[in-house]
Amino acid sequence: MTSVVPSGQINNVDKIPTEQKSAFYSFLKSLASFTGDLSAVTCPAFLLAPESLIEYSEYWAAQPELFAAIPEPDSEVERLLAFIKWFISYLNAAYRRRVPKGQWEKKPYNPVLGEQWFMNWEDVDGCGETEVLCEQVSHHPPVTGFYIKNDKAGVVLNGHSGQKTRISSATLVCDQTGREVMTLKTHNNEKYLFTSPSLTVRGIWYAAPYVELIGTTYIQASTGYYASIEYSSRGWISGEKNHFKCLVRKNTDHKDYLYKIEGQWSGKSTITDYKTKVSKPFLDINILKAAAAKVKPLEKMGEMETRRIWQKVSEAIRANDTALAAKEKSIIENKKRAEKKEREEEGVPWEPVYFKWVEEEPDVAKLQKMLSKVAKYKGDPNPNGNWVFRKELEQSNK
């Protein structure tokens, strides 16, 4: 490439396998001229990670001790603060710790329709095991339904996440859509609705992508408290990377600030009480323990489980055989296209195994209404809908 590499930007173009360079430059050319949702653009095997995007939902509970600790405080506002602490730990697990040190961000596979992922996070400090269940409920646009629970703590997270990817000023921007609802069963089913940040993916032109968070996350509690988390990339505002600022308020008086939490979602943060003006440490990501993941052996996985579906592609990527990886990936994609065509010809609609779409989900609708009165958040086209875990839906209808 002939363009000047920005200061501090890693350039891996020379490391691209010879047989993949043509595909890489074609990929860049398609990005430069593409309009609309980029999820349909094929990524060269050199830039692929040996795992599916569906596995990324496990990071919601990558700090199970913080996930399980949310119900512990007696105070409603203190539980919201515990929720925020968990959420910040999730950001670090999902967008920093997930990428091995010294490596760069790679694109996961776009999950096929009906793809599944099951795993558990082991107990940390007596918090109990945390179960994760995910299913791909839509392929284009990509949407993952997930259900995460810790029975010992009585915490359940049910929601869906999707991505709308576009090019803006030569930067890839991923707007994360969806709805996520947490339930604290030990507090009369107290609820929290929240949204995800947008992402920018920089460095693609130099084959060394990395992620930065932008935009705003909103958290609405059924108790009448809410929070907004603003992200700034590249230290443009704060002078530090991965900066965030969170404000906690009441729905009844959104100009009355209770707390400000500020710092790095990948490092240390502090909390300031607006009434006393006293600041103290809030969270230090670097001292958190990493939980062990429990995943059943590959030979015991079902045919729709993600590591069985992508096994040959992942093996080829790990062996640095990009040609074989591209071949095996095409086999999977062509098979799924054929299955879709067959369903359409037979007029048979596809249905998820574990999730059901509810257009007007009562908890989402109630919390969304509360949030809309204090925040200018447009959300996605279905603001009151959610992909609900079928067993939970069956129990609530009894």
Side-chain angles (χ1 to χ4, degrees), residues 209-281:
Y210 62 96
V211 166
E212 292 180 337
L213 305 186
I214 59 173
T216 304
T217 288
Y218 291 101
I219 303 165
Q220 178 62 62
S222 59
T223 54
Y225 293 95
Y226 79 101
S228 57
I229 305 175
E230 295 181 358
Y231 308 93
S232 56
S233 60
R234 286 191 171 181
W236 291 340
I237 297 174
S238 65
E240 65 180 6
K241 190 178 180 181
N242 302 337
H243 185 81
F244 78 92
K245 181 174 74 172
C246 174
L247 298 174
V248 179
R249 289 167 274 192
K250 287 184 179 181
N251 285 80
T252 52
D253 187 359
H254 65 274
K255 294 183 179 180
D256 182 18
Y257 297 95
L258 302 176
Y259 295 96
K260 179 178 74 172
I261 305 165
E262 193 166 18
Q264 289 179 288
W265 52 260
S266 58
K268 295 181 179 180
S269 52
T270 59
I271 181 170
T272 302
D273 186 319
Y274 265 91
K275 289 183 173 58
T276 65
K277 307 301 181 184
V278 174
S279 298
K280 61 182 181 180

Side-chain angles (χ1 to χ4, degrees), residues 50 99 128 174 190 199 218 225 245 320 362:
V99 182
C174 177
E190 184 172 294
L199 319 173
Y218 291 101
Y225 293 95
K245 181 174 74 172
N320 293 319

Side-chain angles (χ1 to χ4, degrees), residues 4 6-7 48 110 146 281:
V4 178
S7 177
L48 288 177
N110 187 14
F146 54 85

Side-chain angles (χ1 to χ4, degrees), residues 13-235:
V13 173
D14 291 338
K15 298 179 183 179
I16 299 176
T18 303
E19 70 275 10
Q20 281 283 301
K21 284 194 174 181
S22 176
F24 176 68
Y25 289 124
S26 295
F27 174 63
L28 294 187
K29 186 177 179 180
S30 66
L31 287 184
S33 59
F34 199 87
T35 58
D37 187 1
L38 286 166
S39 61
V41 175
T42 300
C43 182
F46 173 77
L47 289 177
L48 288 177
E51 60 185 334
S52 173
L53 180 63
I54 198 172
E55 292 192 39
Y56 287 18
S57 291
E58 72 185 37
Y59 296 110
W60 287 113
Q63 294 298 151
E65 77 282 12
L66 295 183
F67 183 75
I70 296 170
E72 291 179 0
D74 294 328
S75 160
E76 293 174 346
V77 69
E78 289 292 334
R79 288 196 292 275
L80 175 55
L81 295 178
F83 180 100
I84 295 168
K85 187 173 289 187
W86 157 75
F87 185 80
I88 296 302
S89 77
Y90 149 71
L91 296 177
N92 177 68
Y95 303 115
R96 191 200 67 158
R97 194 173 67 194
R98 173 180 53 76
V99 182
K101 191 173 182 179
Q103 296 188 29
W104 58 92
E105 188 74 37
K106 292 191 176 182
K107 183 186 180 301
Y109 316 132
N110 187 14
V112 301
L113 192 63
E115 189 171 323
Q116 300 164 1
W117 173 236
F118 311 95
M119 58 85 65
N120 287 21
W121 290 109
E122 290 191 348
D123 183 296
V124 174
D125 297 337
C127 72
E129 283 201 358
T130 303
E131 300 176 42
V132 177
L133 182 156
C134 308
E135 183 177 20
Q136 196 69 11
V137 295
S138 174
H139 182 60
H140 283 306
V143 179
T144 303
F146 54 85
Y147 182 79
I148 302 171
K149 67 173 182 173
N150 183 299
D151 286 334
K152 184 176 181 180
V155 181
V156 173
L157 177 60
N158 184 187
H160 65 282
S161 61
Q163 300 79 35
K164 290 184 178 179
T165 311
R166 54 191 168 84
I167 290 291
S168 176
S169 302
T171 298
L172 192 150
V173 179
C174 177
D175 295 315
Q176 299 194 91
T177 61
R179 286 292 180 274
E180 297 87 14
V181 178
M182 178 176 286
T183 302
L184 307 186
K185 295 194 173 184
T186 54
H187 288 280
N188 196 29
N189 288 328
E190 184 172 294
K191 308 282 183 179
Y192 296 81
L193 172 76
F194 59 101
T195 64
S196 297
S198 294
L199 319 173
T200 60
V201 184
R202 304 181 187 277
I204 295 176
W205 315 102
Y206 309 103
Y210 62 96
V211 166
E212 292 180 337
L213 305 186
I214 59 173
T216 304
T217 288
Y218 291 101
I219 303 165
Q220 178 62 62
S222 59
T223 54
Y225 293 95
Y226 79 101
S228 57
I229 305 175
E230 295 181 358
Y231 308 93
S232 56
S233 60
R234 286 191 171 181

